[in-house]
Amino acid sequence: CLPSYSENFAGVVLEAFWFGVPVVVTSGVGLADAVQDAGAGCVVEKNAANVSRAILDLLRDPSSARAAGERGRELITSRFSGVAVATAMLREYTMLVR
């Protein structure tokens, strides 16, 4: 769970993904869009009621939580692994020199 008003990247979210743990983040977290797009957890507005509700929802539905965690694990391998990041950087640098 990472309730933050502003978090530029949120490495702890990637760590959770690595271990297949679903996340609850607020919309100010840099990886909120990735969480939302992958279905790897919950993105909620920044207030205690929404954060606690999202945590309880995951705890009450272990099969959905497990599936979200698996999607997070897939996301880290496809988009945030060393190879994926290096490939994306190479693509960007190649576009810059053209």
Side-chain angles (χ1 to χ4, degrees):
C1 179
L2 183 59
S4 177
Y5 287 100
S6 176
E7 196 73 38
N8 66 347
F9 184 69
V12 71
V13 172
L14 293 181
E15 291 169 356
F17 288 164
W18 177 255
F19 289 100
V21 176
V23 297
V24 175
V25 299
T26 51
S27 54
V29 172
L31 286 172
D33 288 343
V35 171
Q36 185 75 41
D37 293 346
C42 304
V43 179
V44 297
E45 290 305 310
K46 303 168 203 92
N47 65 57
N50 287 339
V51 171
S52 60
R53 187 177 313 112
I55 293 169
L56 288 172
D57 287 349
L58 287 171
L59 291 172
R60 288 181 181 133
D61 190 351
S63 62
S64 290
R66 193 171 14 266
E70 289 171 7
R71 288 189 293 271
R73 183 82 164 107
E74 291 168 11
L75 180 63
I76 198 157
T77 355
S78 67
R79 187 168 163 198
F80 296 108
S81 70
V83 171
V85 170
T87 301
M89 286 180 68
L90 181 59
R91 186 177 333 123
E92 292 298 318
Y93 285 132
T94 300
M95 288 176 24
L96 286 173
V97 295
R98 287 187 176 168

